[in-house]
Amino acid sequence: MQDIKEIQERIYPPMVEGEHTFDTVTDKISDLTLKKKTPFHWFIGFGIAFIIAQILLFTILYLVTTGIGIWGNNQPVGWAFDIINFVWWIGIGHAGTLISAILLLLNQKWRTSINRFAEAMTLFAVACAGLFPLLHTGRPWLAYWLFPYPNTMGMWPQFRSPLMWDVFAVSTYATISALFWYVGLIPDLATLRDRAKNKYFKLVYGLLSWGWRGSARHWHRYEITYLLLAGLSTPLVLSVHSIVSFDFSVSQVPGWHATIFPPYFVAGAVFAGFAMVLILCIPLRHVYRMKDFITHTHLVYMAKVMLATGLIVCYGYAMEAFFAWYSQAQYEVFMMKNRAWEGPYWWSYWLLILCNGASIQLLWFKRFRESEFWLFTISIVVSIGMWLERFVIIVTSLHRDFLPSSWAMYSPTMFDWSMFLGTLGFFFTLIYLFVRFLPIISIFEVRTLLPSAEVEHHHGHDGEHKESFIEQVNEPKGETA
Amino acid sequence: MTNLENYQAPDEINRWRTLALGIGGIGLIIWAVGCYFDSQNALRSWLLGFIFWGGIGVGGLGVLILQYLTGGAWGVVIRRTVEAASRTLLILPILFIPLAVGVTHLYEWTHLENDPIIQGRGWYLTVGGWIARAVVYFILWGVMAYLLNKWSANQDKAADMEESAKWLGTATAFSGPTMVAFALVVTFAAVDWVMTLEPHWFSTIWGMLFIAGWGLSCFCFVVAILALLSDKAPMNRVLGKRHFHDLGKLMLALVMVWAYFNFSQYLIIWSGNIPEETGWYLTRTKGVWGVIGLLLILFHFAFPFLILLQQDFKRKAKLLAGMGVFILVMRLVDMFYLIAPSPLIEHGGGHEASHFSWLYLVGPIAVGGLWLAFFFYQLKQRPMVPINDPFLENAIKHGKGH
């Protein structure tokens, strides 16, 4: 039987490497926030991100005082960087919920050590995304007009518009993701509270952990809440990006109006999200020596998810091209030609195919899938590709629509770029703060992955016994330092 | 290594095979008579049967590939059943013959030589191109099914676990790229066989609708078959509540995916409201077709969705199998809804309700009987589980939990 176990572990390697006990796991992760001196490179990285974030503040200031005319948007390209960046950020935000909710429901154990920062990434990405439509209104202080409330103007938002649905979908998504992340943090915040030496840290973590004592009842409630939140988040993974895709596809614009848009956008979102998770976690596991928890196997699994979702996206490109030809509809055929070779933006289409289509084919090969260098590079390329995808869809479809007399070119201004760059700075600022002040990996969940957490059951089921299982592993005994 | 005899399929399967063959034979005769009087409706009903039953076989191949990629206990216990379903792809070309012969009675585009759109599609939408592509689809599906089935059989003959794991590894590695090819073949087959019934219409989500729909058909069918076998040796030693629970979750997921794809397609076409596309739904939302559309929303989505949400329901094999059969019936209605309202050639492209013909019942019964007979014959050929699979024991244990 040893023989079988060995074969099984070769196919599904254990998710925690090295010799670890419950204590070493707790120490290793919580020491990052509590004991270790903040490393110098943290200040450098945070400093750079923070400075770039100031560019965002400056752009917003100038935008609000001047108007959105500072952007390159024109007629007919009335939507450009603002919506491109919105969709790009929202897409990145999808990996978090997929990892935390769907993989949880599917009993995928490898989610455990990457869910915490993937969820944090989701929240920060959604925060960046939200800025763009908000500022595109030109008068962000009137943004509450977007919500349907009885008002003296006697006006209601247009409920038939997917932009309206976006308001609901994105705000729901942000709320549920935040709740999910926070609920998952509570047991770890209590651990930090118990271990903190600094009075103020103790107080803040104490307040945030809501008197968590790790009693059986607490764990029971926790498990139910977490599972319910996972159930609630699962449809959100699909709904948000489906609605984002409706922003385009319910219109008649060739290149936007395609029935495949909802699933293809969702796949693209998860694709971009996993690329961003890889971009973050490859340096993280090195710098903070987390290789035992974010193992090689994690990276390979993420690479496979990236390949699978990337291929769905490529399938979408193929279907768009095939049906443009198959339809023999004048505008569809023109759209495809204009996109790929006749139009002035043809390069963006082929760059997109190169970034999203060609580059991921490397992931078929073990050599590339198992090399951190290549994974990191491909993830960067994919992030660029997914940005280009939205550029291609939005700008090349709009700049030449039905009437040649209304065609025009689009080019972004300095402020389009500074706003995008600024959100990147804002995003990484938040990531740096998160890494410094909160446990980047879920301490109590990683403990359940250890071999010593394996409790012999009389019959081999693990799903239902999870409550008692987690309880046993996370008994408060010997926990408080 | 494990004793082969222990997992031999029960002898009842032979009886079911004979029964199915009898029904199929009678159906075939009635269909042939119907064909003599009303060739167009008879051919369409054959197409309906072909798309529905053949779809289970194609879905079987898809699920076989999928379970190698995802792993999991459910995949190990259903593998031999979906393998048998995938081997029915061997007789698909034979079942396709009536369609190939009667193509000019089935598809309006074969008579639209002067139509600019059909002309624009060039050789692609000619009888020759259409049949040539079908041959390519059958060859590709055949190769995929043949190789995966061969490696799985090699596992049974393996001398030790190491060798068995090697074949499992081969099948898994093959399944990655094969999934891509599979998805493309299904897409183009679905376009050729069903979408071209409406010569001008197109929808980019079409392929995904069939990939998910045929996958759903396969899961429902497998659950029904396994529930039948679950209290007989050898499957009574293998299957447990949790296997059905897992399969029930997959059914639920695919019911939702089916609804999601269809809703997306409807919403986008409805709101775009452009003449190239909207005609397809105009026909299908009026009169009797509209009622069928409504029935699909209620009974292909809402009802199974609400029932399958319940945990206890999914754990009871017989109840879940009942739902599986119910969804299969709705799958047939769904296929009918796609096929039947398409323009009839003899009526100059009209969309009258006269498309309801008693023949629509005969095609699915005839094809179904023959298909099932072949399926049962194939199911009997091999042990009911991959006996040397390194994960078999875990998979069986997984099911016995509660």
Side-chain angles (χ1 to χ4, degrees):
Chain A
M1 281 301 103
Q2 197 51 44
D3 178 37
I4 289 198
K5 191 115 186 108
E6 203 187 296
I7 291 171
Q8 287 175 345
E9 288 207 346
R10 203 164 60 214
I11 300 176
Y12 299 112
M15 296 320 301
V16 177
E17 283 174 3
E19 301 282 313
H20 278 288
T21 63
F22 297 156
D23 284 336
T24 58
V25 170
T26 315
D27 285 344
K28 213 163 176 261
I29 303 171
S30 68
D31 283 357
L32 280 186
T33 30
L34 294 176
K35 283 205 185 137
K36 294 234 171 80
K37 246 186 84 190
T38 313
F40 185 61
H41 56 73
W42 186 89
F43 286 104
I44 302 275
F46 177 76
I48 295 172
F50 193 63
I51 290 167
I52 297 175
Q54 305 317 304
I55 299 176
L56 175 69
L57 276 184
F58 172 76
T59 313
I60 292 176
L61 181 74
Y62 185 57
L63 180 88
V64 169
T65 51
T66 316
I68 57 166
I70 64 167
W71 288 343
N73 298 12
N74 59 19
Q75 282 302 340
V77 190
W79 257 7
F81 265 41
D82 46 343
I83 192 90
I84 295 172
N85 295 333
F86 164 73
V87 179
W88 191 71
W89 277 117
I90 276 282
I92 285 171
H94 272 63
T97 335
L98 182 97
I99 291 171
S100 42
I102 296 189
L103 296 186
L104 177 80
L105 296 181
L106 292 177
N107 271 329
Q108 296 289 317
K109 286 197 180 131
W110 60 279
R111 70 177 276 285
T112 299
S113 40
I114 51 172
N115 65 341
R116 174 69 47 76
F117 69 81
E119 284 165 28
M121 180 201 81
T122 291
L123 287 177
F124 305 153
V126 172
C128 291
L131 284 176
F132 288 96
L134 188 72
L135 292 168
H136 195 183
T137 61
R139 294 176 179 80
W141 53 92
L142 295 178
Y144 64 92
W145 286 9
L146 290 165
F147 290 100
Y149 68 100
N151 56 64
T152 49
M153 300 177 285
M155 294 217 297
W156 292 93
Q158 171 57 281
F159 284 103
R160 276 194 181 185
S161 162
L163 295 178
M164 189 67 239
W165 312 340
D166 257 346
V167 174
F168 301 132
V170 175
S171 52
T172 311
Y173 187 63
T175 314
I176 298 284
S177 311
L179 265 179
F180 201 57
W181 182 63
Y182 181 60
V183 168
L185 263 170
I186 289 176
D188 280 358
L189 287 170
T191 305
L192 292 183
R193 169 201 65 198
D194 295 343
R195 296 182 146 233
K197 297 275 190 283
N198 180 312
K199 195 167 68 179
Y200 300 105
F201 273 50
K202 217 177 181 60
L203 182 72
V204 172
Y205 288 130
L207 284 174
L208 288 175
S209 57
W210 291 95
W212 176 270
R213 284 282 172 277
S215 70
R217 181 174 292 182
H218 282 175
W219 280 113
H220 181 66
R221 299 257 158 86
Y222 171 85
E223 285 289 316
I224 293 177
T225 314
Y226 204 63
L227 213 60
L228 278 177
L229 281 173
L232 279 175
S233 319
T234 302
L236 292 179
V237 179
L238 293 175
S239 69
V240 176
H241 232 68
S242 298
I243 288 172
V244 168
S245 82
F246 288 150
D247 289 347
F248 309 103
S249 56
V250 298
S251 74
Q252 297 179 340
V253 179
W256 285 13
H257 180 80
T259 50
I260 203 173
F261 259 38
Y264 147 69
F265 264 52
V266 170
V270 175
F271 181 46
F274 268 80
M276 189 54 98
V277 174
L278 278 166
I279 291 174
L280 294 177
C281 85
I282 290 175
L284 210 62
R285 72 193 279 267
H286 276 279
V287 174
Y288 289 108
R289 303 205 166 72
M290 288 292 152
K291 287 188 194 167
D292 286 352
F293 307 136
I294 305 170
T295 63
H296 215 63
T297 319
H298 282 99
L299 300 185
V300 171
Y301 284 0
M302 283 191 266
K304 284 181 179 172
V305 173
M306 208 161 85
L307 176 62
T309 47
L311 288 168
I312 298 177
V313 171
C314 294
Y315 174 89
Y317 301 151
M319 287 305 112
E320 278 187 314
F322 172 72
F323 281 104
W325 169 80
Y326 177 87
S327 72
Q328 290 289 315
Q330 186 188 353
Y331 299 112
E332 289 287 324
V333 175
F334 172 78
M335 176 277 295
M336 206 56 223
K337 278 190 191 161
N338 182 52
R339 200 181 256 192
W341 65 87
E342 277 182 4
Y345 293 112
W346 63 271
W347 52 269
S348 63
Y349 184 73
W350 293 106
L351 212 53
L352 154 73
I353 298 294
L354 187 74
C355 289
N356 279 358
S359 78
I360 57 162
Q361 304 308 323
L362 295 176
L363 296 173
W364 286 110
F365 305 100
K366 246 200 174 104
R367 226 190 96 204
F368 295 98
R369 219 162 45 207
E370 298 198 337
S371 140
E372 276 175 288
F373 168 77
W374 281 108
L375 271 186
F376 189 74
T377 314
I378 293 171
S379 301
I380 300 255
V381 169
V382 165
S383 296
I384 298 170
M386 284 309 292
W387 191 89
L388 279 168
E389 179 189 302
R390 280 68 178 242
F391 180 87
V392 167
I393 291 175
I394 291 154
V395 174
T396 59
S397 306
L398 282 179
H399 90 287
R400 286 183 173 178
D401 59 1
F402 303 97
L403 283 177
S405 60
S406 62
W407 289 357
M409 289 295 287
Y410 167 80
S411 55
T413 63
M414 190 181 93
F415 295 104
D416 281 306
W417 287 112
S418 70
M419 181 121 181
F420 178 49
L421 188 71
T423 50
L424 280 171
F426 179 49
F427 177 77
F428 281 102
T429 305
L430 292 172
I431 290 281
Y432 270 101
L433 288 175
F434 160 71
V435 167
R436 176 63 192 82
F437 291 109
L438 291 169
I440 50 172
I441 293 173
S442 173
I443 302 172
F444 72 96
E445 281 186 289
V446 170
R447 283 189 295 217
T448 64
L449 291 182
L450 298 177
S452 43
E454 258 173 47
V455 188
E456 268 307 319
H457 305 299
H458 24 126
H459 17 239
H461 53 110
D462 39 280
E464 262 78 6
H465 256 211
K466 221 177 165 192
E467 291 109 15
S468 56
F469 187 51
I470 287 193
E471 280 156 33
Q472 278 168 350
V473 176
N474 292 291
E475 286 275 278
K477 58 168 190 279
E479 178 67 67
T480 38
Chain B
M1 303 287 331
T2 325
N3 189 358
L4 280 165
E5 299 301 315
N6 280 344
Y7 289 102
Q8 239 15 285
D11 290 329
E12 276 96 335
I13 289 182
N14 286 337
R15 228 180 57 226
W16 298 341
R17 186 197 65 202
T18 319
L19 186 69
L21 192 63
I23 294 173
I26 296 168
L28 189 63
I29 294 166
I30 302 176
W31 180 82
V33 174
C35 204
Y36 178 75
F37 291 107
D38 184 355
S39 62
Q40 188 172 5
N41 275 324
L43 279 165
R44 282 179 168 219
S45 84
W46 190 269
L47 178 68
L48 177 62
F50 177 81
I51 295 293
F52 175 75
W53 292 103
I56 298 176
V58 175
L61 177 60
V63 174
L64 182 63
I65 298 170
L66 182 73
Q67 60 86 33
Y68 277 123
L69 293 174
T70 60
W74 63 272
V76 181
V77 296
I78 70 168
R79 192 179 300 158
R80 284 296 149 88
T81 316
V82 287
E83 273 174 15
S86 76
R87 290 198 296 275
T88 63
L89 293 177
L90 292 175
I91 57 157
L92 227 49
I94 300 170
L95 294 174
F96 186 74
I97 290 173
L99 303 177
V101 172
V103 60
T104 51
H105 298 279
L106 253 178
Y107 296 96
E108 202 195 359
W109 55 260
T110 53
H111 301 277
L112 299 176
E113 294 87 359
N114 299 321
D115 182 285
I117 290 178
I118 306 297
Q119 277 176 346
R121 289 179 195 159
W123 65 268
Y124 190 87
L125 208 61
T126 55
V127 172
W130 187 85
I131 290 179
R133 273 198 307 284
V135 172
V136 174
Y137 307 149
F138 291 131
I139 292 175
L140 287 174
W141 279 335
V143 170
M144 295 174 201
Y146 171 76
L147 288 174
L148 286 174
N149 275 285
K150 191 179 102 176
W151 294 326
S152 181
N154 286 354
Q155 256 188 307
D156 287 355
K157 285 176 262 161
D160 53 21
M161 233 1 127
E162 202 62 51
E163 196 195 331
S164 168
K166 196 193 86 192
W167 291 117
L168 182 67
T170 311
T172 310
F174 176 78
S175 292
T178 305
M179 193 48 139
V180 179
F182 173 80
L184 288 173
V185 175
V186 171
T187 302
F188 288 103
V191 171
D192 276 359
W193 298 342
V194 188
M195 187 189 273
T196 61
L197 283 168
E198 296 262 2
H200 290 177
W201 186 73
F202 62 95
S203 165
T204 43
I205 205 174
W206 195 250
M208 283 192 164
L209 264 175
F210 275 79
I211 294 169
W214 282 346
L216 175 61
S217 298
C218 171
F219 276 116
C220 293
F221 179 74
V222 166
V223 166
I225 295 292
L226 288 184
L228 271 180
L229 294 170
S230 65
D231 42 18
K232 297 177 180 65
M235 287 314 262
N236 57 359
R237 280 178 281 127
V238 174
L239 292 169
K241 281 183 176 168
R242 282 186 81 191
H243 293 135
F244 285 100
H245 190 183
D246 289 348
L247 292 169
K249 285 187 208 165
L250 285 162
M251 273 165 65
L252 173 64
L254 280 168
V255 163
M256 290 195 278
V257 167
W258 176 89
Y260 168 64
F261 287 172
N262 272 290
F263 172 73
S264 302
Q265 175 172 283
Y266 180 78
L267 181 81
I268 290 168
I269 290 180
W270 170 80
S271 63
N273 200 18
I274 54 178
E276 288 93 331
E277 298 173 343
T278 210
W280 197 83
Y281 273 120
L282 276 184
T283 319
R284 283 167 179 77
T285 46
K286 281 193 187 127
V288 190
W289 303 120
V291 176
I292 297 180
L294 208 59
L295 287 178
L296 282 172
I297 298 173
L298 289 176
F299 295 110
H300 199 310
F301 171 64
F303 176 67
F305 170 73
L306 290 175
I307 299 291
L308 287 173
L309 271 180
Q310 294 159 47
Q311 195 166 45
D312 284 345
F313 186 91
K314 283 177 286 201
R315 291 170 166 268
K316 298 195 175 82
K318 297 284 175 277
L319 282 180
L320 191 67
M323 181 49 80
V325 172
F326 179 80
I327 297 176
L328 277 175
V329 171
M330 291 317 292
R331 297 285 308 127
L332 189 65
V333 176
D334 183 33
M335 294 295 158
F336 176 73
Y337 184 70
L338 300 182
I339 292 172
S342 312
L344 282 170
I345 297 164
E346 278 83 13
H347 292 84
H351 288 98
E352 309 82 33
S354 67
H355 296 194
F356 284 107
S357 159
W358 61 275
L359 275 166
Y360 274 115
L361 284 173
V362 182
I365 291 173
V367 179
L370 301 175
W371 186 89
L372 275 172
F374 192 72
F375 168 79
F376 284 127
Y377 166 71
Q378 288 295 344
L379 191 62
K380 193 80 179 70
Q381 299 303 307
R382 293 184 180 182
M384 287 301 295
V385 286
I387 42 170
N388 290 334
D389 194 278
F391 296 96
L392 178 64
E393 214 184 299
N394 294 28
I396 293 176
K397 236 196 235 167
H398 170 88
K400 299 297 177 205
H402 43 82

